Amino acid sequence: HVQLVESGGGSVQAGGSLRLSCVASGNFYRSSCMGWFRQAPGKEREGVASAYTAGDSTYYADFVKGRFTISQDNAKNTVYLQMNSLKPEDSAMYFCAATPGFSCVGTGSVSDFHYWGQGTQVTVS
């Protein structure tokens, strides 16, 4: 049974920071591409960052480079998204996604990921 559970969302003022966490259950975590996506109301879901759990590869969307950092704690089957210098346009539902046996190709597209969490809301005012 595969499950992804996100946490860490909330409301913050512009310029502030949040750290999202995604805990993965199941045996798939090793050698998986773990991604963060976001979706604002009326907009398509877009890739934010991704990381390959069996290596050092990380990828970021241009609009978060230098502000967001994806990291992982393999002992805890957890991937994080540290978000700094938040802007109102970063407001969205943030989703964790995973695909076993995939080493990531950029931030990926929605169709690249097999498993999804329920999302955590981030609001920047």
Side-chain angles (χ1 to χ4, degrees), residues 50-96:
S50 67
Y52 179 49
T53 60
D56 297 326
S57 301
T58 57
Y59 303 90
Y60 296 93
D62 287 343
F63 52 78
V64 303
K65 282 182 180 177
R67 300 189 299 125
F68 290 11
T69 303
I70 188 170
S71 62
Q72 55 194 332
D73 184 339
N74 289 350
K76 296 181 179 180
N77 281 15
T78 301
V79 64
Y80 303 98
L81 185 68
Q82 178 67 44
M83 305 186 295
N84 298 329
S85 301
L86 283 162
K87 305 175 182 179
E89 52 263 44
D90 293 319
S91 296
M93 185 72 79
Y94 282 71
F95 297 90
C96 177

Side-chain angles (χ1 to χ4, degrees), residues 1-116:
H1 178 65
V2 174
Q3 189 175 20
L4 302 174
V5 180
E6 304 100 331
S7 62
S11 297
V12 65
Q13 291 188 338
S17 299
L18 286 172
R19 188 178 80 156
L20 307 183
S21 300
C22 172
V23 180
S25 63
N27 295 323
F28 72 95
Y29 183 81
R30 307 292 185 217
S31 300
S32 294
C33 179
M34 301 294 295
W36 285 99
F37 284 72
R38 69 186 188 185
Q39 188 168 20
K43 295 188 177 181
E44 294 187 352
R45 193 170 295 190
E46 59 183 359
V48 174
S50 67
Y52 179 49
T53 60
D56 297 326
S57 301
T58 57
Y59 303 90
Y60 296 93
D62 287 343
F63 52 78
V64 303
K65 282 182 180 177
R67 300 189 299 125
F68 290 11
T69 303
I70 188 170
S71 62
Q72 55 194 332
D73 184 339
N74 289 350
K76 296 181 179 180
N77 281 15
T78 301
V79 64
Y80 303 98
L81 185 68
Q82 178 67 44
M83 305 186 295
N84 298 329
S85 301
L86 283 162
K87 305 175 182 179
E89 52 263 44
D90 293 319
S91 296
M93 185 72 79
Y94 282 71
F95 297 90
C96 177
T99 292
F102 179 48
S103 59
C104 299
V105 178
T107 56
S109 63
V110 171
S111 60
D112 290 330
F113 290 86
H114 294 171
Y115 304 110
W116 293 84

